Amino acid sequence: MQRLQPCKHLYSSSSSRSIWLLFSAVQTTQQFYYSWHHQHQYNHAEYHCLLGKVSAKFRTSFNIGNIRQGKSREEKLTNNKDENSITHDLFSETIYAMASGFSSSCAVSVIRVSGSRAMEVVKRMTRLDSKQLETRRAYYCSLYDPVSKNSSNIALNAVPIDKILLLFFKGPNSFTGEDVIEIHCHGSKAVISHIMKALGTEGIGFRPADPGEFTKRAFLNRKMDLTEVEGLSDLIHAQTEQQRVQALKQLNGELSHVVTNWKREMLNCVAHVTAFIDFGDDNGLEESVIYRERILPSVKKLASELKYYLDISKNRLGERLREGRGIRCALLGAPNAGKSSLLNVLAEQDIAIVSDHAGTTRDVVEVQLDLKGWPVTIADTAGLREHTDISSDTEVGKHQLIEIEGMKRAIKKAREADIVIIVLDSENYAVTPQEMFEFCMRKLSEYDLPDSSDSSHTPRTSNHAQKIFLVQNKIDSRNSSAQHMLQKILDIPLFAISCKTKEGVDQFIDHLCKTVENIFTGKDDQFFSKDIGHQQAEHALLITRERHRASFSKTLACLERALQENDQIEIAAEHIRQAHKALCEVTGDVDFEEILDVVFKEFCIGK
Ligand SMILES: Nc1nc2c(ncn2[C@@H]2O[C@H](COP(=O)(O)OP(=O)(O)OP(=O)(O)O)[C@@H](O)[C@H]2O)c(=O)[nH]1
Ligand SMILES: [Mg+2]
């Protein structure tokens, strides 16, 4: 049997192997040997002998001095202070910040203190007995200026700052994993600034928290993984109902759960290979059998699951929901058709300039709306019309060039949109609604594809799903007669409305809301293939960031390389290890300061 030299270099070269990895691997190897034992009818003595060998081998193979996982992140960070400037002295200081929002005055505000010396608040700023203090209980008491460290009691004649509710959370069963004190005080500026000043005085010596520092401590103390941290950040910033739902799912670990299962399965495969490399020959195990029966099916399944998640999230609906860009709609039509008027009606405010001068809107004007909890971006655009014989030498020609540039931008915007709303003018005799509709459709199909390297929007592909709505405006006008009304064209939804009297507007908005909801929930087969239902659409919304997608793609590429290795199981195992590492970036189980910086900079102070 031809194979590479076994695993020593595979493990010893890796400086970030962990005890946790070791135990998982030993555990999975146990499962492997149990199943192997069943197949090969080993007796118990033989089985335990094998398992002992594997465990011992794992212990020596892993570079335990440099482990990360398994130890708390805190320990790792304390050991590597110089490498990790981000967390330098992070745990030695007790921090404080306002946890509730900043407002000039409100009924109650919350100030949070976290760290090993948090109890000093109780000892030196209240008359409560710190030794008797129960965790997770609220105490109603007076809060005083801090007494010096050596004085045992608040003086009898001390003047209180405020009457407060004090809560104590004993670490590690707290949000940060450290001792936490919450002060619920009255929300006036005077009370808050007095308490904040008292906590920062030299005597008590706490430090104001950096933005997101409480959550960073929670992450480093393994209270939450990186996807949950992101979920929390999204929940704090959620503007619409559906953003809240999405954020809460991530905070509750839905993405984390999927990723953790994949990671476990990958470790399982690696453990099988390692056990085989070290002991397979001794026990008559065949490399090709292990590869075919154990590695190949697992890796195939993992690869197809990753591919599925990447495929269904191609439209980046998860990111778009989280970021608030949502579904992109563009208003397209002739000058003066009422596009800007419709934008203002939808936004319920005067965002775009409206006038009876044809060609009022020159550039794209965008507004983000919340349609029943789903975010939507609507773009008002310059009016479209035919142009002939333009000369840049004349004043008129110069104006026309500007208008043409506006039209180009309008069509580009419409091409990128998920929904194009063609606004037709019932008053316009020069061009019939039917002609205008055909003109817009021609422009939509003629225009060059936008630059797909611009990652700010979904790259348009040849099968870019797009919906067209027709809106015939100004039905209130006395000039609008039956002959100027558009007849229904195929199955394109057609709405007759008046931006002036609001007639028909509600039906149009209802239809728009329903369409947007159907897209996000997988009921629209233009955006998801027909067999993709509600559950798959929910899966698609799990990927909320480009960094998730990038790690998934990297993981898939490693797994595909592993699949090409045929019977070379040591090489396949190394690819699987790389896949595991790529996936660890999603949950934050690797050393990668830049990612932490990106994630935590989204946070506000006090969280
Ligand atoms: N009677 C009537 N007039 C309308 C209605 N909607 C818009 N208008 C008028 O039509 C004119 C053009 O409206 P806009 O909203 O500026 O049209 P537009 O399509 O944005 O025009 P451009 O920016 O030039 O492309 C304005 O005078 C509006 O008051 C409507 O429903 N009924
Ligand atoms: Mg306009």
Side-chain angles (χ1 to χ4, degrees):
M1 185 169 29
Q2 183 70 30
R3 61 180 162 91
L4 291 178
Q5 266 308 297
C7 65
K8 278 189 191 87
H9 69 284
L10 299 177
Y11 286 116
S12 54
S13 64
S14 168
S15 63
S16 61
R17 300 287 172 240
S18 69
I19 284 178
W20 172 77
L21 190 66
L22 165 68
F23 286 137
S24 311
V26 170
Q27 224 179 8
T28 51
T29 308
Q30 276 183 356
Q31 288 163 8
F32 163 66
Y33 275 100
Y34 266 120
S35 58
W36 199 262
H37 164 66
H38 279 297
Q39 284 169 25
H40 291 80
Q41 300 297 305
Y42 286 130
N43 65 32
H44 280 283
E46 282 170 330
Y47 163 71
H48 283 293
C49 175
L50 268 175
L51 190 61
K53 283 187 199 174
V54 170
S55 306
K57 190 71 186 174
F58 266 113
R59 275 187 209 107
T60 49
S61 299
F62 281 88
N63 187 348
I64 291 171
N66 284 313
I67 56 170
R68 174 181 174 81
Q69 297 147 321
K71 278 187 179 185
S72 75
R73 291 183 177 100
E74 175 184 0
E75 276 176 275
K76 159 80 170 68
L77 292 161
T78 322
N79 292 343
N80 293 300
K81 272 182 190 167
D82 294 338
E83 293 166 28
N84 271 295
S85 54
I86 185 183
T87 45
H88 190 75
D89 278 344
L90 190 63
F91 295 95
S92 64
E93 292 172 299
T94 297
I95 53 169
Y96 69 95
M98 258 184 82
S100 51
F102 293 87
S103 121
S104 55
S105 67
C106 56
V108 176
S109 285
V110 180
I111 296 169
R112 190 189 255 164
V113 179
S114 176
S116 55
R117 293 175 52 249
M119 193 53 103
E120 295 286 299
V121 174
V122 179
K123 289 181 187 160
R124 294 166 59 189
M125 296 180 75
T126 71
R127 290 200 171 114
L128 297 171
D129 181 352
S130 62
K131 293 195 186 88
Q132 300 291 322
L133 211 68
E134 285 176 39
T135 184
R136 293 163 180 264
R137 224 183 116 174
Y139 292 87
Y140 180 55
C141 61
S142 291
L143 190 76
Y144 301 88
D145 275 325
V147 291
S148 71
K149 209 169 181 182
N150 301 327
S151 359
S152 49
N153 279 320
I154 306 277
L156 277 177
N157 58 353
V159 182
I161 307 171
D162 190 16
K163 280 283 206 188
I164 62 156
L165 267 187
L166 184 142
L167 284 97
F168 170 54
F169 299 89
K170 177 107 192 91
N173 298 321
S174 66
F175 173 70
T176 57
E178 308 171 319
D179 282 356
V180 170
I181 296 279
E182 273 186 16
I183 299 167
H184 295 227
C185 60
H186 292 102
S188 72
K189 205 171 153 202
V191 169
I192 292 163
S193 59
H194 196 129
I195 297 174
M196 298 289 267
K197 204 166 144 210
L199 294 173
T201 53
E202 245 173 55
I204 203 154
F206 299 159
R207 161 173 80 70
D210 292 332
E213 194 172 352
F214 290 95
T215 312
K216 192 187 279 180
R217 289 182 178 211
F219 166 72
L220 295 170
N221 279 325
R222 298 198 152 267
K223 303 299 289 184
M224 53 196 348
D225 74 16
L226 212 50
T227 62
E228 290 157 356
V229 167
E230 289 169 335
L232 179 59
S233 166
D234 295 345
L235 193 58
I236 293 167
H237 294 112
Q239 298 283 326
T240 74
E241 176 61 11
Q242 295 304 328
Q243 284 177 326
R244 179 193 67 73
V245 171
Q246 181 194 38
L248 196 62
K249 281 183 182 168
Q250 192 159 332
L251 175 61
N252 286 340
E254 285 202 12
L255 178 61
S256 169
H257 180 72
V258 173
V259 172
T260 305
N261 282 343
W262 287 339
K263 286 198 299 192
R264 193 176 303 128
E265 188 55 29
M266 285 175 199
L267 287 178
N268 236 326
C269 292
V270 175
H272 275 76
V273 176
T274 309
F276 167 76
I277 290 167
D278 291 351
F279 308 106
D281 276 352
D282 307 347
N283 297 284
L285 309 181
E286 285 243 0
E287 178 170 356
S288 56
V289 175
I290 299 277
Y291 183 77
R292 270 200 318 273
E293 290 185 4
R294 189 59 190 84
I295 313 289
L296 201 61
S298 279
V299 175
K300 269 189 180 161
K301 185 167 169 278
L302 283 165
S304 84
E305 282 181 18
L306 269 148
K307 205 165 169 319
Y308 156 80
Y309 273 89
L310 285 167
D311 278 350
I312 58 170
S313 62
K314 248 190 218 143
N315 285 321
R316 290 175 162 78
L317 288 179
E319 278 117 307
R320 292 205 254 155
L321 172 58
R322 182 182 73 79
E323 291 163 7
R325 286 178 290 136
I327 300 301
R328 297 153 306 181
C329 300
L331 297 163
L332 206 62
N336 255 353
K339 301 178 294 301
S340 303
S341 304
L342 182 54
L343 179 85
N344 293 348
V345 167
L346 293 172
E348 293 177 339
Q349 30 176 324
D350 277 345
I351 289 184
I353 301 171
V354 167
S355 93
D356 57 4
H357 170 77
T360 305
T361 307
R362 290 295 171 95
D363 225 329
V364 176
V365 178
E366 284 186 308
V367 58
Q368 288 188 351
L369 302 180
D370 173 352
L371 292 186
K372 298 202 174 147
W374 300 105
V376 172
T377 303
I378 309 232
D380 180 23
T381 64
L384 303 184
R385 66 185 176 95
E386 295 276 18
H387 274 280
T388 48
D389 303 334
I390 298 153
S391 155
S392 58
D393 296 339
T394 63
E395 216 35 52
V396 176
K398 281 178 190 156
H399 278 291
Q400 283 183 332
L401 285 177
I402 298 170
E403 196 185 340
I404 287 172
E405 180 55 33
M407 283 171 52
K408 268 192 187 171
R409 291 176 188 209
I411 299 164
K412 181 173 187 287
K413 200 36 98 185
R415 291 268 303 178
E416 291 165 5
D418 305 298
I419 300 174
V420 179
I421 302 166
I422 300 180
V423 185
L424 303 163
D425 188 345
S426 315
E427 269 186 337
N428 192 344
Y429 291 105
V431 189
T432 67
Q434 178 73 32
E435 283 166 347
M436 195 59 214
F437 162 72
E438 282 161 11
F439 179 71
C440 288
M441 295 302 283
R442 209 166 52 244
K443 288 288 170 195
L444 279 175
S445 59
E446 264 171 15
Y447 197 75
D448 289 344
L449 292 177
D451 179 7
S452 62
S453 62
D454 177 0
S455 61
S456 64
H457 61 258
T458 310
R460 189 190 165 90
T461 56
S462 52
N463 58 359
H464 170 74
Q466 190 165 67
K467 302 196 151 291
I468 310 281
F469 291 174
L470 288 169
V471 171
Q472 185 147 14
N473 188 27
K474 306 189 188 180
I475 54 168
D476 61 284
S477 163
R478 46 194 166 83
N479 297 330
S480 99
S481 61
Q483 71 194 68
H484 291 112
M485 296 306 288
L486 187 69
Q487 299 307 308
K488 193 153 174 19
I489 301 166
L490 300 172
D491 55 355
I492 299 178
L494 170 66
F495 300 89
I497 67 160
S498 163
C499 288
K500 197 173 175 184
T501 63
K502 311 286 183 303
E503 192 184 341
V505 167
D506 283 349
Q507 287 93 313
F508 170 64
I509 294 178
D510 280 351
H511 187 81
L512 187 60
C513 286
K514 195 80 211 140
T515 307
V516 168
E517 185 174 61
N518 284 349
I519 293 173
F520 273 117
T521 54
K523 289 180 201 140
D524 189 305
D525 53 34
Q526 233 178 306
F527 279 75
F528 292 102
S529 62
K530 272 207 169 61
D531 54 342
I532 286 187
H534 179 67
Q535 201 193 2
Q536 282 88 340
E538 280 194 359
H539 290 164
L541 297 186
L542 282 186
I543 296 183
T544 60
R545 281 165 171 79
E546 184 56 38
R547 74 168 201 93
H548 302 161
R549 187 184 309 283
S551 292
F552 281 17
S553 302
K554 212 164 35 163
T555 310
L556 180 61
C558 295
L559 291 177
E560 279 169 349
R561 280 198 286 276
L563 284 173
Q564 284 159 13
E565 283 309 325
N566 294 324
D567 290 349
Q568 300 278 8
I569 66 171
E570 294 90 348
I571 302 179
E574 183 53 20
H575 289 310
I576 299 168
R577 255 190 291 275
Q578 291 303 325
H580 179 269
K581 199 173 158 207
L583 212 49
C584 282
E585 290 179 8
V586 179
T587 44
D589 289 315
V590 281
D591 299 320
F592 55 108
E593 274 184 36
E594 325 86 73
I595 297 179
L596 291 191
D597 277 345
V598 170
V599 171
F600 285 101
K601 91 168 183 255
E602 289 176 11
F603 271 83
C604 46
I605 291 176
K607 194 64 210 173

